[in-house]
Amino acid sequence: MEYTILIAEDDKDIVNLLRLYLESNGYRVVTAENGTRAYELVESQKIDLAVLDIMMPGMDGYELTVKIREEHDFPIIFLSAKNQDHDKILGLNMGADD
């Protein structure tokens, strides 16, 4: 069974690195450069895991997580330069898994 991982990140270098690693380990990867596009992918495809940046244009990772959690329960991992405890707590409280 092939699992699909959504990467929502506006930094192309990070996306390319994650894609290379995940695809070489047998995962299908779909990408979005902003939260709005990421949500469109969530609604149109079966996603098994999402890796989200917090600071994205359009809809940030926090807002995207809240929208995803309205209808979906797949794992969500935040990937961000934000490292303050309150940022981590906020993300977890909004529905992120890690």
Side-chain angles (χ1 to χ4, degrees):
M1 177 177 187
E2 185 178 61
Y3 293 101
T4 300
I5 300 176
L6 166 65
I7 301 171
E9 167 67 60
D10 59 340
D11 184 318
K12 291 185 187 331
D13 291 333
I14 292 173
V15 170
N16 290 337
L17 181 64
L18 288 172
R19 178 191 293 274
L20 177 67
Y21 178 78
L22 292 168
E23 287 180 344
S24 71
N25 282 284
Y27 297 100
R28 179 175 170 265
V29 175
V30 293
T31 64
E33 65 284 347
N34 61 60
T36 304
R37 177 65 182 136
Y39 189 70
E40 291 170 359
L41 291 170
V42 166
E43 290 299 295
S44 67
Q45 300 186 36
K46 181 184 181 312
I47 303 296
D48 298 293
L49 169 74
V51 179
L52 310 179
D53 184 17
I54 293 174
M55 299 179 291
M56 292 184 288
M59 181 189 316
D60 67 28
Y62 295 132
E63 294 170 289
L64 178 57
T65 298
V66 170
K67 284 190 67 94
I68 289 171
R69 286 295 179 239
E70 290 173 358
E71 297 183 30
H72 305 279
D73 65 351
F74 54 77
I76 296 173
I77 298 173
F78 278 140
L79 177 67
S80 181
K82 290 189 167 210
N83 62 1
Q84 298 293 318
D85 285 341
H86 68 273
D87 292 318
K88 296 173 187 175
I89 292 168
L90 179 61
L92 293 170
N93 285 337
M94 291 188 153
D97 295 289
D98 199 8

